[in-house]
Amino acid sequence: MLRRSPSAEQLKLQNLRLRVGDHAVDVGALRVIGDGEPARLTSKAVAVLLELVRHAGNTVGREDLLETVWKDRVTTPDVLTQAIKELRRAFGDGDRPARYIETIPKVGYRLLAEVSVIEADEIPFGRVEHLALRAENESWVALEADEATSSVLAAAARAFATGTNTESAAAGHASSQAAPAARPAAKWTQFALPFIVLLLALAIAAGWYVIRSGRVSPPPPWTVSNLRALTSDPEAEILPHISPDGTRVAFGKLIEATGLDRLFIRGVESSQLVPLAPHTEKAHDIRPVWSSDGSHIAYERISRDKCTLFIVSSLGGHEREIGNCQDFGTSYFDFAPGDQDLVIGLRDGGTQSDVSLSRWNIATGTGKPLQYQRASGDQDIEPRYSPDGRWLAFRRGFSPYSDLYVMRADGGEARQITHLSGTLRGYTWTADSSALVFSSNHLGKFELYAVGVDGGPLQRLGVEHAIYPDAARAVHTVVYQIQRTMSALAQVDIDSPQAAPRKLAASTGSDSAPAVSPDGNHIAFLSDRSGFNQVWLYDSATDSAEALTDYRDAVLSGLVWRADSAALVVTVREEPATSRLVEIDLASRRLRDISGKDENVLFGGYGPKPGSFLLAVGTSSSGARLLLRESADKAGQSDNVLATGVQQAEVDATQGFVYYTRVGTNGLFRWAATTGAEQKLTDKINALTVGDWRLVDGKLWYLIPVDVRAVILHEFDPQKNADRVVAEFPISVGGVSFGVDPGHKRIYLGYVANQDTDIGAFELERAAAH
């Protein structure tokens, strides 16, 4: 077959497949296939490879690669070095001289291997797996699972019907299909026969499973085209929703002069902004949702800690109040088929810690629970009906422990579609009701994925910095929020809450989750300022920061300091989807795993006694077991289960208390190390508390968002059972996570100073079947 080098246009395709030397590269799936198991690559490593392919045979400068692949990011040259290491490892390029990528000292890199495009009639390795059998002459025979395996199965079936020896039939058919080898076919056939027989048995079992289960081959993957930005104004545009016919998009827009969010409509094609239901009330209008016929838009109005649902004609005019939507942080909703009802997630019993789906009649403003499969303590929010009206999807679990579920539109059994137990920021149905498109950061940063309604593998769509996608019903257009928000590590004085926050160790990256060391000398925080999310350490004496970790495509969370300020722990999630608790020693910068390899840690910290640890282990917060581990040393390791269904926990080592909230049981609880008894303290803090809470000298501090762009700092005193307001801050915070200095004079948080988010769009269609 004539090999064809990739063109500039082909290098832009999401589903591009390349042959590089002796390896195949599936660009969309981020993997390299060679002799052994497929090697996974990060998206940046693939981007570097594509640049080397674009200039194959020529040297590409280091600065050019950094500028192209890591544009708009402040990075160090180490990120490029790491990407080259990934590629060499995937290609097995450890020889000297190099066979794939050559280093030109002090200049850059050059791709040495031949490159060609894998055409449609070659092995579709992106859809199937292969079994390779090595013959005596080191040649390879590849059996392709979709075609060759089915052919072997057919040969076996014919032999079974005619009484022919099954092994002979399988071996004969396989040898007739094999490529010519350097030695006689009988030689390699004799060598490979046991493996072929084993493959035959597996194929027969798979075929029987297909017949019995009714499963069919998965549909071809999705392709993205015409990726573009619809808005570019300096103010923030948020939470877009596209009209059913795909011609218009509604979204919230921050009006800088008033500091309030208003709703606007514009055409997907270039057009002017039209305000929707303008009013003079001091409140934020957000989260617009079109009715299925496109005639109306429902939305939320947020004022202080009040959330109210309204509906208005999509052409504008008089708005009508529907009712109270409880919490704006969790009150996602959708029109039910027929557009007479809304479906929304509401708290059970008003203040309980579980949330269930309800149908809410628009005309009467009354609602009733939707009858479907759920357990006490489940937190079900963000419902969305499929365009054909047959299915209802929803998100179970608050971030960062969320997954997507699907059930019939009228309720019943709920099926879990994703198994991430991670942070999801919006999702939508595809126009044909066959799949969900969602935003997740389970590989390190927020980007879009697709998953079939029956579950199965996730497809990476290649749309990064994307949250809250929404697809039209009648066309292939999808809109989304382009996430350009940056949060900076900042200090806020409690005695001067109206003063502007002071940024610390400023950068162009995004900072979050600060944790202050007990001695007050350092602040650990998470930041992507190096190109990947890492743990960083801020030194107040020099107003500078340095990275403590060097992960690639990992999700980090839950920074907790040891009492002596000499170490801290962080929860690390990498591929495969398993999280572990890692301790970082500050003096040596050495990392060690605290949890076992088979444990999935949702969060962790230090226990009441020196050398002990606290771990929440499970696949979701509703089933998480809170373990008190006496030692990380396996020889002396013993676990004490304190509680189940734990959402968050904090340790008071001085008093020997562990504080925690539980899913399904309302309130804040305290476990005493001296007695082993559990005590309920208050309903003020529970599993529905949107923001984190922190233990500060035996008292609980917690942030409560009172509207879209303001938070209140509360203090709860367990000894006096008293709650007071410490301060109110007119700011937006990233993640509502914060740290407190030992003197209680200031808090540290991820301050959102720049909210320059825009609305983007693209076309999403199924790839043609090969």
Side-chain angles (χ1 to χ4, degrees):
M1 180 176 293
L2 180 64
R3 298 296 182 186
R4 193 160 54 86
S5 299
S7 65
E9 290 303 315
Q10 285 176 317
L11 289 175
K12 299 177 183 179
L13 297 177
Q14 299 293 328
N15 59 345
L16 176 65
R17 294 159 184 165
L18 297 173
R19 190 172 303 283
V20 181
D22 296 331
H23 292 70
V25 180
D26 189 333
V27 173
L30 302 178
R31 65 176 184 168
V32 174
I33 299 176
D35 291 351
E37 289 293 320
R40 304 291 299 186
L41 294 174
T42 62
S43 59
K44 294 302 184 186
V46 171
V48 170
L49 175 62
L50 293 180
E51 285 304 305
L52 295 177
V53 169
R54 195 185 311 276
H55 305 282
N58 298 315
T59 301
V60 185
R62 290 180 60 88
E63 294 302 324
D64 292 334
L65 287 170
L66 287 168
E67 175 65 25
T68 302
V69 178
W70 286 272
K71 59 183 178 181
D72 302 326
R73 286 288 187 188
V74 176
T75 62
T76 65
D78 291 343
V79 296
L80 175 57
T81 303
Q82 181 63 31
I84 295 294
K85 286 181 179 179
E86 284 186 40
L87 293 171
R88 285 176 170 155
R89 188 184 308 116
F91 290 127
D93 192 19
D95 299 338
R96 291 293 182 270
R99 295 182 298 114
Y100 282 79
I101 300 175
E102 180 185 14
T103 299
I104 310 300
K106 299 183 180 180
V107 178
Y109 302 95
R110 182 162 63 103
L111 185 64
L112 302 176
E114 292 187 3
V115 182
S116 60
V117 177
I118 294 180
E119 303 292 351
D121 55 352
E122 292 188 77
I123 296 174
F125 62 89
R127 294 187 295 110
V128 296
E129 299 297 333
H130 300 84
L131 177 63
L133 305 177
R134 188 187 300 271
E136 288 181 305
N137 62 359
E138 297 298 314
S139 63
W140 289 80
V141 179
L143 297 180
E144 197 270 342
D146 274 354
E147 297 174 4
T149 302
S150 60
S151 298
V152 173
L153 182 60
R158 288 193 299 272
F160 202 69
T162 60
T164 308
N165 180 274
T166 305
E167 294 185 10
S168 300
H173 183 84
S175 62
S176 69
Q177 297 299 315
R183 301 200 177 186
K187 285 284 187 180
W188 72 260
T189 302
Q190 181 180 3
F191 176 83
L193 183 58
F195 298 98
I196 294 177
V197 172
L198 175 60
L199 178 61
L200 173 63
L202 294 175
I204 293 173
W208 180 247
Y209 172 74
V210 169
I211 294 171
R212 291 294 302 271
S213 66
R215 292 179 66 89
V216 297
S217 298
W222 298 91
T223 61
V224 170
S225 62
N226 194 20
L227 186 65
R228 61 202 186 275
L230 299 183
T231 64
S232 57
D233 295 340
E235 292 88 0
E237 291 92 15
I238 61 172
L239 299 171
H241 204 271
I242 193 170
S243 61
D245 61 4
T247 62
R248 295 174 291 169
V249 58
F251 53 89
K253 181 179 175 64
L254 176 64
I255 307 302
E256 190 173 356
T258 63
L260 300 174
D261 293 273
R262 292 287 182 262
L263 296 181
F264 291 85
I265 296 178
R266 57 154 285 169
V268 171
E269 302 302 327
S270 183
S271 67
Q272 290 185 335
L273 294 181
V274 177
L276 180 70
H279 61 86
T280 58
E281 184 179 349
K282 188 176 181 181
H284 302 271
D285 287 353
I286 62 170
R287 204 167 285 147
V289 176
W290 294 79
S291 61
S292 61
D293 63 4
S295 64
H296 288 80
I297 294 177
Y299 57 93
E300 296 175 0
R301 178 164 297 163
I302 313 300
S303 58
R304 296 297 295 177
D305 52 358
K306 183 180 179 182
C307 176
T308 308
L309 275 170
F310 286 84
I311 191 169
V312 68
S313 168
S314 59
L315 300 177
H318 179 68
E319 62 188 11
R320 178 160 56 92
E321 182 177 333
I322 300 176
N324 177 20
C325 46
Q326 292 186 350
D327 301 317
F328 75 87
T330 60
S331 56
Y332 299 87
F333 63 93
D334 193 19
F335 280 90
D339 295 336
Q340 301 303 307
D341 296 333
L342 298 178
V343 62
I344 188 172
L346 297 175
R347 294 191 305 266
D348 290 352
T351 60
Q352 296 303 308
S353 63
D354 51 352
V355 179
S356 61
L357 303 180
S358 295
R359 284 185 69 128
W360 200 340
N361 185 266
I362 295 174
T364 64
T366 59
K368 62 179 181 179
L370 189 65
Q371 299 302 312
Y372 65 102
Q373 182 187 56
R374 64 183 306 274
S376 176
D378 285 342
Q379 299 166 329
D380 297 340
I381 60 174
E382 205 167 350
R384 302 207 70 166
Y385 284 97
S386 61
D388 62 12
R390 297 176 56 206
W391 305 102
L392 176 60
F394 61 93
R395 174 159 63 97
R396 176 164 288 173
F398 290 167
S399 292
Y401 313 120
S402 297
D403 273 300
L404 296 177
Y405 287 71
V406 169
M407 62 184 172
R408 296 193 313 270
D410 58 353
E413 180 184 2
R415 292 182 290 107
Q416 187 171 350
I417 302 302
T418 65
H419 298 270
L420 299 174
S421 189
T423 298
L424 306 181
R425 289 198 179 172
Y427 73 97
T428 185
W429 285 91
T430 55
D432 64 359
S433 301
S434 69
L436 299 175
V437 174
F438 64 94
S439 173
S440 170
N441 70 337
H442 68 277
L443 292 182
K445 57 188 172 186
F446 283 103
E447 55 184 300
L448 297 186
Y449 299 82
V451 61
V453 70
D454 292 325
L458 308 182
Q459 181 192 345
R460 209 169 185 173
L461 296 180
V463 184
E464 299 182 349
H465 307 296
I467 58 178
Y468 302 114
D470 188 64
R473 292 168 174 257
V475 295
H476 301 295
T477 305
V478 179
V479 296
Y480 67 99
Q481 182 175 319
I482 303 175
Q483 185 66 349
R484 291 176 176 153
T485 299
M486 296 296 179
S487 57
L489 177 65
Q491 169 187 304
V492 179
D493 293 332
I494 294 176
D495 294 335
S496 304
Q498 302 300 315
R502 175 185 167 230
K503 295 183 182 179
L504 308 176
S507 76
T508 58
S510 194
D511 309 328
S512 64
V516 184
S517 62
D519 61 13
N521 293 331
H522 295 95
I523 302 173
F525 63 100
L526 303 177
S527 178
D528 63 357
R529 56 179 65 195
S530 64
F532 294 92
N533 208 29
Q534 308 292 350
V535 179
W536 286 73
L537 186 70
Y538 173 76
D539 188 341
S540 57
T542 60
D543 189 33
S544 62
E546 61 173 317
L548 296 181
T549 60
D550 187 25
Y551 292 106
R552 294 295 184 271
D553 292 334
V555 178
L556 310 181
S557 61
L559 298 174
V560 179
W561 283 93
R562 202 165 70 190
D564 61 2
S565 300
L568 68 154
V569 293
V570 58
T571 304
V572 180
R573 177 175 181 165
E574 294 179 288
E575 282 293 305
T578 301
S579 297
R580 65 187 193 277
L581 189 65
V582 176
E583 184 179 51
I584 305 172
D585 181 76
L586 212 60
S588 65
R589 299 298 198 263
R590 293 185 62 181
L591 280 63
R592 67 162 180 158
D593 286 352
I594 301 301
S595 54
K597 64 178 182 178
D598 296 327
E599 292 179 315
N600 187 63
V601 178
L602 300 180
F603 63 86
Y606 292 96
K609 298 179 182 179
S612 64
F613 295 88
L614 203 66
L615 300 91
V617 177
T619 57
S620 66
S621 55
S622 60
R625 295 176 301 134
L626 186 63
L627 306 179
L628 180 58
R629 180 160 295 172
E630 294 301 329
S631 172
D633 184 6
K634 293 187 181 299
Q637 190 177 106
S638 64
D639 292 339
N640 181 17
V641 180
L642 306 187
T644 58
V646 176
Q647 182 89 359
Q648 183 180 343
E650 289 273 323
V651 174
D652 185 346
T654 303
Q655 300 295 325
F657 291 134
V658 179
Y659 294 85
Y660 50 88
T661 54
R662 293 164 57 182
V663 175
T665 305
N666 195 41
L668 174 72
F669 296 84
R670 183 172 68 185
W671 178 86
T674 54
T675 64
E678 178 185 85
Q679 176 188 5
K680 181 179 178 179
L681 299 176
T682 181
D683 286 340
K684 296 280 187 182
I685 302 173
N686 54 56
L688 293 183
T689 302
V690 177
D692 286 344
W693 44 274
R694 293 285 178 267
L695 192 64
V696 180
D697 286 346
K699 300 176 183 178
L700 282 302
W701 284 25
Y702 60 103
L703 285 174
I704 295 294
V706 291
D707 65 24
V708 178
R709 308 187 191 279
V711 295
I712 293 180
L713 177 62
H714 286 254
E715 178 190 80
F716 172 74
D717 187 340
Q719 305 304 321
K720 299 179 180 179
N721 193 27
D723 190 273
R724 72 181 182 96
V725 172
V726 178
E728 179 175 343
F729 305 103
I731 58 176
S732 296
V733 295
V736 203
S737 182
F738 66 101
V740 182
D741 80 309
H744 309 167
K745 296 296 184 182
R746 56 187 66 91
I747 65 172
Y748 300 91
L749 41 75
Y751 167 57
V752 181
N754 175 22
Q755 291 183 303
D756 187 18
T757 57
D758 291 313
I759 307 300
F762 59 88
E763 311 306 315
L764 182 68
E765 299 180 80
R766 280 203 181 277
H770 296 307

